[in-house]
Amino acid sequence: MSLLPPQPPPVRREVPIDPYTTIALTPHTPEHLQRVWLWLLYGANTGDPAAYRLPGYEQAKLSAR
């Protein structure tokens, strides 16, 4: 029996993209621009942590003991 704690599974990284596929050599259609706009609006920053909030009075009171 090991004395070490169980280890979490490895982090799954996203598939890297090829830079040449992100450059458009032709003008975009309005449908494509709308799809990109919606993706940026609703899909970006989903992994951000919550905003920092100062501890409440009860929590500060407990930590001051």
Side-chain angles (χ1 to χ4, degrees), residues 7-27:
Q7 299 295 313
V11 176
R12 293 184 56 97
R13 306 273 183 217
E14 293 194 24
V15 178
I17 60 169
D18 295 323
Y20 65 86
T21 62
T22 62
I23 299 173
L25 300 177
T26 58

Side-chain angles (χ1 to χ4, degrees), residues 4-55:
L4 299 175
Q7 299 295 313
V11 176
R12 293 184 56 97
R13 306 273 183 217
E14 293 194 24
V15 178
I17 60 169
D18 295 323
Y20 65 86
T21 62
T22 62
I23 299 173
L25 300 177
T26 58
H28 293 296
T29 62
E31 292 83 13
H32 174 74
L33 293 175
Q34 181 183 17
R35 191 174 43 197
V36 170
W37 180 75
L38 288 173
W39 181 80
L40 290 173
L41 181 65
Y42 294 113
N45 299 326
T46 56
D48 282 351
Y52 177 74
R53 293 178 49 192
L54 290 171

